[in-house]
Amino acid sequence: MTQYELESLWISADGIADVRYRFGDLVLLKSGDHTGHTAEVISLLSIDPEPLYVVELPNGRSAVLSEDELQATGSSSGRTLKLRPPGSLPF
């Protein structure tokens, strides 16, 4: 499965079974330099052997973290993700 296909499934109404977080979810970081801070989930990189996410950190940088390194806050940033087909231009 390509990254585009994975993220297309992830943002669909049904989502992906056994994946805890969605695009825009706010999560609490449970490890690393920013432990205890809130971050925003911005991408799902893989689901096997466990879900790996890219999160945007409080300082604007990003990090790759596993589902076990995150804790749900019950909140969302309210942003939505719109994917463009591979090879399409953003204009």
Side-chain angles (χ1 to χ4, degrees):
M1 177 181 312
T2 68
Q3 184 66 30
Y4 179 81
E5 292 167 333
L6 177 65
E7 289 199 352
S8 294
L9 286 173
W10 183 52
I11 66 169
S12 71
D14 295 331
I16 298 174
D18 299 323
V19 172
R20 189 176 305 152
Y21 303 109
R22 309 268 308 206
F23 178 82
D25 283 354
L26 299 178
V27 292
L28 189 65
L29 304 178
K30 295 174 25 181
S31 65
D33 293 340
H34 297 280
T35 299
H37 288 104
T38 301
E40 180 183 358
V41 176
I42 59 172
S43 183
L44 175 67
L45 293 180
S46 67
I47 55 175
D48 189 33
E50 65 178 316
L52 284 177
Y53 302 91
V54 177
V55 298
E56 186 174 320
L57 302 169
N59 62 8
R61 294 184 180 197
S62 60
V64 176
L65 297 168
S66 70
E67 206 164 74
D68 291 339
E69 297 174 291
L70 307 172
Q71 179 179 334
T73 64
S75 297
S76 171
S77 67
R79 295 195 308 161
T80 57
L81 180 64
K82 293 186 173 56
L83 296 178
R84 299 179 194 279
S88 68
L89 297 175
F91 339 88

